[in-house]
């Protein structure tokens, strides 16, 4: 019986981390007006970033250590790129690279945080269509 495919294992690791980010963002939104929206946006960005990285791993594409969504997305063939307008890519990157630090500017409105989570959910769905079914199944412990 052959052992587990190491590429599939690495993809699963990326997906688990990405899904944990999405769960954290979505759960934090339930705080309503007390919600730390910068935290929600950061985790939404992390979900998008990790899903793209999982797809890059599947394709055997080496990628830099970066939070820049537009850089990572550009490494994919056009037909596999999650549908994200340029402004959205840059906003997501801002959530990871700028927003989480003091002096980043005004607080993010709750509606924007909700939109970031919706984007992360959509990217998750798009990317999962391009990954092998074996990578989408949880590993048995």
């Amino acid at each position: 019986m052959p052992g587990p495919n190491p590429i599939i294992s690495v993809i699963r690791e990326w997906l688990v981390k990405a899904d944990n980010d999405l769960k954290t963002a979505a759960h934090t939104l339930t705080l309503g007006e007390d919600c730390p929206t910068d935290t929600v946006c950061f985790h939404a960005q992390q979900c998008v970033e990790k899903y793209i990285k999982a797809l890059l791993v599947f394709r055997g594409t080496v990628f830099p250590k970066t939070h820049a969504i537009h850089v990572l997305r550009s490494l994919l063939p056009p037909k596999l790129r999650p549908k994200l307008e340029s402004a959205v890519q840059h906003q997501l990157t801002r959530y990871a690279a700028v927003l989480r630090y003091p002096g980043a500017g005004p607080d993010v409105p709750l509606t924007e945080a909700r939109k970031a989570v919706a984007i992360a959910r959509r990217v998750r769905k798009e990317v999962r269509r391009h990954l092998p079914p074996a990578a989408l199944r949880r590993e048995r412990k």
Side-chain angles (χ1 to χ4, degrees):
M1 175 180 206
N5 181 325
I7 299 297
I8 296 296
S9 295
V10 172
I11 295 168
R12 280 186 187 143
E13 289 176 26
W14 280 107
L15 299 183
V16 166
K17 295 293 187 184
D19 287 342
N20 286 344
D21 279 310
L22 184 56
K23 286 177 197 172
T24 298
H27 180 72
T28 304
L29 274 178
T30 66
L31 295 172
E33 292 302 319
D34 290 333
C35 174
T37 54
D38 59 334
T39 299
V40 170
C41 291
F42 171 74
H43 285 289
Q45 184 282 341
Q46 287 291 287
C47 175
V48 170
E49 177 183 324
K50 291 170 185 164
Y51 261 95
I52 292 171
K53 287 179 176 179
L55 188 51
L56 289 167
V57 167
F58 174 59
R59 296 192 43 78
T61 304
V62 176
F63 53 87
K65 194 170 193 173
T66 184
H67 296 300
I69 298 300
H70 65 282
V71 170
L72 296 168
R73 189 176 166 276
S74 73
L75 297 172
L76 292 167
K79 68 179 182 173
L80 296 182
R81 292 177 187 162
K83 288 160 189 51
L84 295 168
E85 294 175 7
S86 181
V88 172
Q89 294 173 56
H90 290 288
Q91 187 64 32
L92 287 169
T93 300
R94 185 176 172 275
Y95 295 152
V98 176
L99 193 65
R100 61 190 174 133
Y101 296 105
D107 289 342
V108 176
L110 188 56
T111 55
E112 186 177 328
R114 287 183 180 131
K115 190 179 291 185
V117 171
I119 290 166
R121 285 185 172 129
R122 183 176 50 77
V123 168
R124 177 186 187 271
K125 187 175 180 179
E126 285 181 38
V127 170
R128 288 174 73 88
R129 287 187 201 131
H130 301 294
L131 294 172
L136 304 177
R137 289 190 293 272
R138 288 271 183 168
E139 208 166 35
R140 296 177 194 233
K141 300 198 181 208

